[in-house]
Amino acid sequence: MTELELDPVIHAQARLRVVATLATLDAGDRMAFPKLQKLLEMTAGNLSTHLRKLEEADYVQIDKRFEGRSPATYLELTKKGRRAFETYTETLEALLRGAQ
Amino acid sequence: MTVDEPGATNADGAHGPVADPRPGAARAEASSLDRGGGELDPNAEDDAPPSDPAAVLAMIAAQRAATRKGVEPNGPLLFGTWGVAWLIGYLILYFTYDEALGRAPAWGFVVFGLCLIAALVITAVHVARRVAGVRGVSAAEGAMYGWSWMIAFVAACLLFAGLSRAGASPDVMAIATNGVSALIVAVMYMAGGALWRQVRMFALGAWVGVVGGGAALVAQPNTYLVMALAGGGGFLVAAVGDLLVTRRRARRSRR
């Protein structure tokens, strides 16, 4: 049996939860940083670090903009990120089937 | 990276619980991406997920369920709110019906209106809270859907004013206001069900359409009784049904 590779970018608990959250939104939707932070119950610094890593892998698009006068950051899963998450879950399901 | 056999330890031996606030991470809270700061948390580590694929899939499912709960409006709450508003409001119109006037007195309509306004405020506040912080395609869809409600009811009010001006009797006015309002609710619920693929929302819309049409055929003040019991009751049945289905699903995914 060939060993199934799991994407190392997603295969970290915090980043997996970030990606799972953003993948729950419809394609074309983005989430504000405070909302994402609240849903994940992570500290801002911790979340920022993981988002930076996901951005480096081109899995998450970080969109900084101004809403009126206050800055707002929106996070969106890229097509590549969405595909990576799907591949990741499919691999897990394949591993699960293999384990049974 | 590969996943070891179930039960084996990861290379770094990390097996933290799902929601793992890492020690020391709080210090970096003041500077975040959100506030435009570039400072990151140097203590943010790469904790590997549990090594059992089933546990990881369960963790993903739990996170997705929590996300849906945080961004999607609560069906049972909204159905229940409107069910109660219709039940109380229409029952008041039914019980205060004045044979001599051929309709309920003005204060009956005021209470009825207050019931609907209360339900509208609860709906608007709840939906706004849930969808806040999410932008993009679905926000645009939701905005168009919200405007559809608004425009349909404004147009209906103009229509009612026109009918009244043309000399419609209280009986005709009661049939028109009830029927048109129920028709708008029915069509909007069916459209919403189609838009978000919510079968129960669609079914509720279809039911309200049947009830609204049927209520036009019965003599006054029975129209209001039909609207209260079948219409309001329909919303309450949908609320309970939605609650049961959601609970059962949550229980199944926890297993």
Side-chain angles (χ1 to χ4, degrees):
Chain A
M1 190 184 125
T2 53
E3 267 188 313
L4 291 163
E5 290 283 324
L6 282 172
D7 189 336
V9 179
I10 302 183
H11 195 65
Q13 189 154 294
R15 289 197 293 277
L16 175 56
R17 291 178 63 230
V18 170
V19 172
T21 303
L22 293 176
T24 307
L25 300 182
D26 288 340
D29 279 353
R30 51 192 184 275
M31 189 180 277
F33 186 93
K35 181 122 183 173
L36 183 62
Q37 193 193 342
K38 198 176 156 210
L39 285 171
L40 290 165
E41 295 170 320
M42 281 164 76
T43 64
N46 199 353
L47 179 56
S48 297
T49 307
H50 289 296
L51 284 170
R52 198 58 63 88
K53 283 182 187 166
L54 288 166
E55 189 190 28
E56 278 162 14
D58 196 21
Y59 283 5
V60 165
Q61 194 185 323
I62 300 177
D63 176 19
K64 288 186 188 185
R65 58 176 69 196
F66 273 87
E67 283 188 340
R69 288 171 128 191
S70 47
T73 304
Y74 282 89
L75 297 318
E76 182 180 353
L77 214 54
T78 61
K79 270 184 192 159
K80 192 181 166 192
R82 201 169 279 271
R83 219 174 300 134
F85 178 68
E86 280 163 12
T87 307
Y88 184 87
T89 50
E90 280 160 14
T91 308
L92 284 174
E93 279 156 7
L95 282 165
L96 196 58
R97 277 195 301 274
Q100 278 166 355
Chain B
M1 203 182 285
T2 57
V3 159
D4 312 317
E5 294 119 44
T9 335
N10 288 307
D12 54 359
H15 280 275
V18 173
D20 178 20
R22 284 167 189 80
R27 266 181 285 128
E29 206 162 2
S31 62
S32 71
L33 261 183
D34 191 44
R35 278 148 236 174
E39 246 178 87
L40 301 173
D41 179 8
N43 296 309
E45 285 160 34
D46 283 7
D47 282 357
S51 55
D52 174 11
V56 183
L57 284 169
M59 189 183 103
I60 291 171
Q63 188 60 43
R64 298 191 72 142
T67 304
R68 272 192 293 271
K69 213 174 160 186
V71 301
E72 288 173 7
N74 180 333
L77 174 75
L78 294 183
F79 294 162
T81 298
W82 285 98
V84 170
W86 277 34
L87 190 68
I88 296 173
Y90 280 113
L91 278 181
I92 282 167
L93 291 186
Y94 174 74
F95 285 118
T96 61
Y97 184 80
D98 189 332
E99 289 283 354
L101 281 173
R103 58 171 172 81
W107 72 264
F109 281 98
V110 169
V111 177
F112 174 72
L114 288 176
C115 285
L116 296 190
I117 288 169
L120 191 66
V121 169
I122 291 172
T123 303
V125 170
H126 175 73
V127 172
R129 270 200 198 147
R130 285 288 171 100
V131 303
V134 177
R135 293 283 145 82
V137 181
S138 62
E141 282 171 1
M144 282 191 269
Y145 183 74
W147 279 105
S148 305
W149 277 99
M150 260 276 282
I151 291 164
F153 271 106
V154 168
C157 287
L158 296 178
L159 177 82
F160 303 149
L163 284 175
S164 175
R165 200 182 58 88
S169 67
D171 210 24
V172 171
M173 284 306 292
I175 290 171
T177 51
N178 243 306
V180 172
S181 303
L183 192 65
I184 292 172
V185 174
V187 171
M188 288 307 296
Y189 265 73
M190 287 192 280
L195 181 59
W196 294 298
R197 291 178 296 280
Q198 299 282 335
V199 179
R200 282 184 298 283
M201 189 179 189
F202 179 88
L204 182 56
W207 173 247
V208 170
V210 170
V211 170
L217 297 178
V218 298
Q220 287 287 33
N222 294 333
T223 302
Y224 297 130
L225 191 61
V226 172
M227 293 303 291
L229 301 183
F235 273 99
L236 292 176
V237 167
V240 172
D242 222 39
L243 201 64
L244 291 178
V245 171
T246 320
R247 287 234 173 116
R248 198 183 311 146
R249 240 179 239 157
R251 221 176 301 134
R252 209 178 296 153
S253 70
R254 238 178 281 140
R255 248 177 241 152

